Amino acid sequence: PKEAPAQQNTPATIAPVICRREHPRPPTATPSAVSHAPSRARPIGSITSSTATYRSRLHYSPPNSIPRDPSSHASSSLFSQYGRQPSAAVGSHHRPTVVTGGGSASSLPPPKNNGHRPAQKMNARLIGGKKNKRWTIKLPFIGAILLVLYGVFIYIITNKFTDTTGAASSSNLLRSTGDTIASSQKQQNPTPPGAAVPAGKDPRIKDFCGLCQWRDQGFNCNDRVEWSVTQKGVDETEAKLANLRYCVNANGCQDKLNDEGFMDCEEQIEEPTITDFCGRCQFRGQGFNCDERVEWVVQTKGQTEKEAKLSNLRYCVNANKCNDKIDEFGFMQCEEVSALSNKPPPGYKQGTKPHVESEPELEAVLTGSLVMQARDIAISLKDRVGVRKSRENEEGLRDRRSGEDIVASVLTAAQYGDRQYDTEGEFSNAAIDTSKKEGGGGRSLDMPVLTAYCEPVNQTAWETKPLPLRDGATSKESLFSIPYPHVQSCSALPSQWPIDTPPVDLDPFLPWIHDVFPSPDGKNVMFVAQNRRRCYNGQRRFRRGENPPKGVTSHKSSTIHIDYRKNYFMRPQSALFQHVPVKRIPSENPGEDAEPRYRLASHEDADEEGMETRFLCRFKSFDPSATPNLSIVGYSLSKHLLDYDYHTYRKGYKFSATEAGYDNHMIWQSQLLFKCPVPSVFHEKVRNGDTVVEDYANLYVDVIPIRTPPRYTPPREFLQPRYGFHNDGLQNLFIPDIEWGKEHFLPRIDESGRWENIPICMPPLMTSGIVPKGVDVNTRTIPENVADKTYVAFTGELPPKIHKVIACTWASTTFKTRSNRAMVADGKRRLQEWLEFNLLSGFDHIYVYDNSGAFTNEDSLADIIGLFPPDKVTRVDWPCKICSNRDGNEGERSSQYAAESSCRLRFGTHARWLGSFDTDEYLVPMGEFSSMGEVADGLDRKDVKVAVFKSSPAKPRFDLLESPRKTAEAGAFTPIVPADETFLHTYNCNWEQFPRQNDLSHRRKQIYRADYVKLHYVHYSTVTTVSQMSEMETRSSGRERWMHRYVEKHVHEFDEMKESTMLHTKTKVARNMLSWETRCRRSTLSEAGCHVGFPFPKGVKPTTPIKRNDGYAYNCFLNEKIEDYWWPKLVEAVKRRKEGRSNAALQNG
């Protein structure tokens, strides 16, 4: 933190007492400056003696204290990591006040009686009598205790987070004897102050200026070098190179020193004038030039053109005297500047990073030797069968295996499938053929088998720059193949895919795929994957006296990952979200069928199709009549469906991923969505579903990840050229030629870890039977409206839409609440009523992702879904488990997140509006609306893209529940809705009167335009079409306003009285009902307290507490339209369907 220069007159021979300030002031310098600069402390003379005495007791620092490196402390690295500095909440404004007012303590008047009992009576209570046992704690005593606690708190905070004060004390000590230091420097270095310091063996530091001021701080460059050598353990040359960019005498000044002992130059830099204004120069790296900036300032701020140019002159000077050559974005282009863009900026970290020694087990994980050792252990598959697949625990993590156990589990799941629930006994091979029989066909024995080739990952190799080449022969020899013979049906592919115990646990560069299917036009294969690392982000607090293991980074110095070894092992998963540019190189065997070879490249050097990719895609075709029957038919490079790094930049976050892995707040890093372009000769075949014969595919794709370390730098430093960013001047610029080298060739496909023989099945509408095979989906579309084409110019996509409003749900027969607190088993009943109501309220189609298989293999929701017509309700068998059910944090409900993305990409493509809801959430049209289709039409007319509902759990009405006596236990009971009642009617009791005023933002749900939202995360439209547009695209659209920090503008909050509302019928369990009778007799209008409802009578306003005759307090309000309109309609619809089933049963006999 930057402060006024310290002034002390203490002689050099007397060591002054230095007092640390409790907290740093709010930072004014850049984060990098704060991270590296020793700051200055305020001298004692600048504060009152009483205050100084008090502080010195708490924060005494010896006079010869040595400044510590702020970057070495966990808290400093944390602030740097997340791009923040310590907030003002722990700033210099919170200091203890010792003396207030103008008088002294002795001159204060005696306290007034103010009606309290006389002192004699108070003393009598202490001497004897009946009241002598009652003690009175006086306010001064409480104040003294609080003051002591406050002092301890300040002391702890200061020592924990304010490392820079130590550096400040030492720096202040150096500056307090400025003349002595300056004379000492002259004695040690007789050369003139402006001359170059002896360069030693490295010629690059010949321009180092030792007496130049270091970054406007209170010390010179020689002081900084000395501090770096002492504290960081680097030699003098390294320290000078690291600080060279701040220690150059750019103006060639002489040996004149200013009053503070720094280099002072009479020759000043020539100030630019208005004649130097460069109108076509890019303004501060933004998507507009300086002329456009001036025009905007004139229009919005009322300045004259001359005033606008002068105020922006510092950013609009053609410093390099370039010619009038204009680049593709319309900005001044200088050959001199572009030639420098690939050169590392001064101080760029080059060469091999020092290896951080870790605990032995973590070291084995990072080097890959642990997996290699486990793989090489000769264990028969029969012995592996005895390994229990699932190890649940109190923290919520499903799996804690490692080493040999995890290898055995992966192999067992590969052989028999994930859907085995008791692995202690013998396996039954009958389970393997179940899906094949259900599908009416399947993979024949001569067809290719889905196989994962795992490649050991040595993360310690990332410490070397440039990135070492992977030797092809060695890589191929180390590959570990895992076949999946049970994957044999296109119709059952999501349920057969290896998810719960995937090969990703052995090779973290493999994408953790949950779903795969072709796009409706047959041009791409779409992949829905999850970030496996987030499964191990659960944290726990340190125990008393515990320190983090060697090589492990803690979070806020108080928590650590529960499974830090697995979290660190899964670091490559973060890299899969980041693009890499590649350039195709000449093949050794040129020809039409030759495998393309690539090398890592910079954006400037990459091919256009290889500008932003992450996976190589190889396509193969199976023909049983040919020899050989499997042939390679094409190659392509993958593309992400959204740019994750760019979204991080638009959200204002500093990093997309962190090395320590505390990244759960960046929810867009959860779902990995990418596609592999299909060779053009197969587009029509894939679109028509001709790649599937008897429920299995004859066209396959292999996915080969490009293995580079994750980038832990700010994303803007390596964004693609299409965004128009000019990277000159950015610190820590990611430079591929240094990080990867100019000749980093990728191994051949067969020498690399990969997914192989992934079946390319039919488009989703055909697979689910909504559109029969051979029928053109364009013949079933709804009429287009204006909103359908709003962003086609930017997305290039206009798929046919057959539905107006659809809903998706992830449900099961039973489920566990978060943290496994309770098991709920009313899934079937809830789903049946929920489906009935949503079809009644105007949803065109509902897709149910049946997660029952995550809990049992004996039941599912298929019988409930079979009660409804297939053109209205579709079931997707989705048995994969969530990987972390709130394990020390919010958890990672991977199965739910992947199901939502799968539904949006599979079926939302053909709908205008989509909503993802739980089966306890009822979306109710209100006002004059009687259908959600009508509501959606109104939103389109308003240019709304995201519509938001308030949501808070309603209370089940006590009078409609079964008697509490039936389930009473230990002062509680389980609220049960009777069989002849509905959840909609029973839970129609909101604790807040409509329209609700509370924000309830963390529970809000949405319906959204499926062609606008690119990534949805339960409650949030995280990534949209507009948030992915570049600045130039945004401004040229004519309808959007550019902001670096993206804020959604096309969002609408529903009017709960006139448009629509949500009734959340969340199940109440026994633990919610503890002491319910006492709580329900209190009059409180809140979500907590009494969890059953006692609705206010119609017309009664809750102005005063009102109770019923039985003593229970009214605590909720009815929704009149649900009560009078929707509930009767629901009862009638349920009755008709029940009668229809009875009539059908009679007809069938």
Side-chain angles (χ1 to χ4, degrees), residues 155 292 543 552 814 911 954:
Y155 178 81
E292 294 170 325
R543 303 176 184 91
V552 178
T814 61

Side-chain angles (χ1 to χ4, degrees), residues 262-273:
F262 302 126
M263 182 73 69
D264 191 16
C265 300
E266 294 180 359
E267 179 185 357
Q268 301 295 327
I269 301 176
E270 183 180 352
E271 291 292 334
T273 64

Side-chain angles (χ1 to χ4, degrees), residues 912-1042:
R912 283 185 186 151
W913 289 87
L914 183 152
S916 293
F917 309 115
D918 298 330
T919 55
D920 61 359
E921 296 171 329
Y922 290 78
L923 196 55
V924 183
M926 295 290 289
E928 300 298 324
F929 293 109
S930 59
S931 167
M932 285 308 302
E934 298 173 358
V935 175
D937 289 339
L939 296 175
D940 278 337
R941 288 191 292 269
K942 296 177 182 178
D943 194 28
V944 173
K945 304 302 178 185
V946 179
V948 181
F949 303 86
K950 289 183 176 180
S951 175
S952 62
K955 299 177 185 289
R957 288 189 263 180
F958 180 79
D959 296 335
L960 300 181
L961 296 172
E962 289 189 355
S963 173
R965 291 191 298 271
K966 290 185 177 182
T967 57
E969 182 180 359
F973 76 99
T974 302
I976 297 178
V977 179
D980 58 349
E981 263 295 350
T982 64
F983 290 95
L984 180 74
H985 186 225
T986 303
Y987 279 81
N988 181 24
C989 202
N990 281 280
W991 62 268
E992 189 176 8
Q993 196 168 13
F994 287 96
R996 290 175 283 191
Q997 300 300 316
N998 283 285
D999 183 63
L1000 307 172
S1001 58
H1002 65 292
R1003 289 182 178 141
R1004 293 185 173 197
K1005 285 297 183 77
Q1006 304 175 338
I1007 62 170
Y1008 54 88
R1009 286 284 309 203
D1011 54 2
Y1012 177 76
V1013 175
K1014 298 302 181 184
L1015 181 67
H1016 198 269
Y1017 188 90
V1018 188
H1019 301 276
Y1020 311 104
S1021 293
T1022 309
V1023 183
T1024 67
T1025 297
V1026 174
S1027 72
Q1028 288 283 285
M1029 293 166 60
S1030 68
E1031 182 176 354
M1032 184 168 292
E1033 289 173 332
T1034 305
R1035 296 183 183 280
S1036 64
S1037 68
R1039 55 178 280 115
E1040 307 296 341
R1041 180 184 176 187
W1042 168 260

Side-chain angles (χ1 to χ4, degrees), residues 658-671:
T658 58
E659 196 167 6
Y662 300 101
D663 310 329
N664 262 33
H665 58 289
M666 292 183 284
I667 55 179
W668 55 93
Q669 297 285 331
S670 173
Q671 304 165 47

Side-chain angles (χ1 to χ4, degrees), residues 102-122:
S104 63
S106 60
S107 63
L108 293 176
K112 295 182 180 179
N113 190 359
N114 292 332
H116 295 291
R117 64 172 58 91
Q120 292 85 349
K121 291 186 178 181
M122 294 178 64

Side-chain angles (χ1 to χ4, degrees), residues 238 249 830 1025:
E238 286 184 79
N249 183 3
R830 277 192 173 274
T1025 297

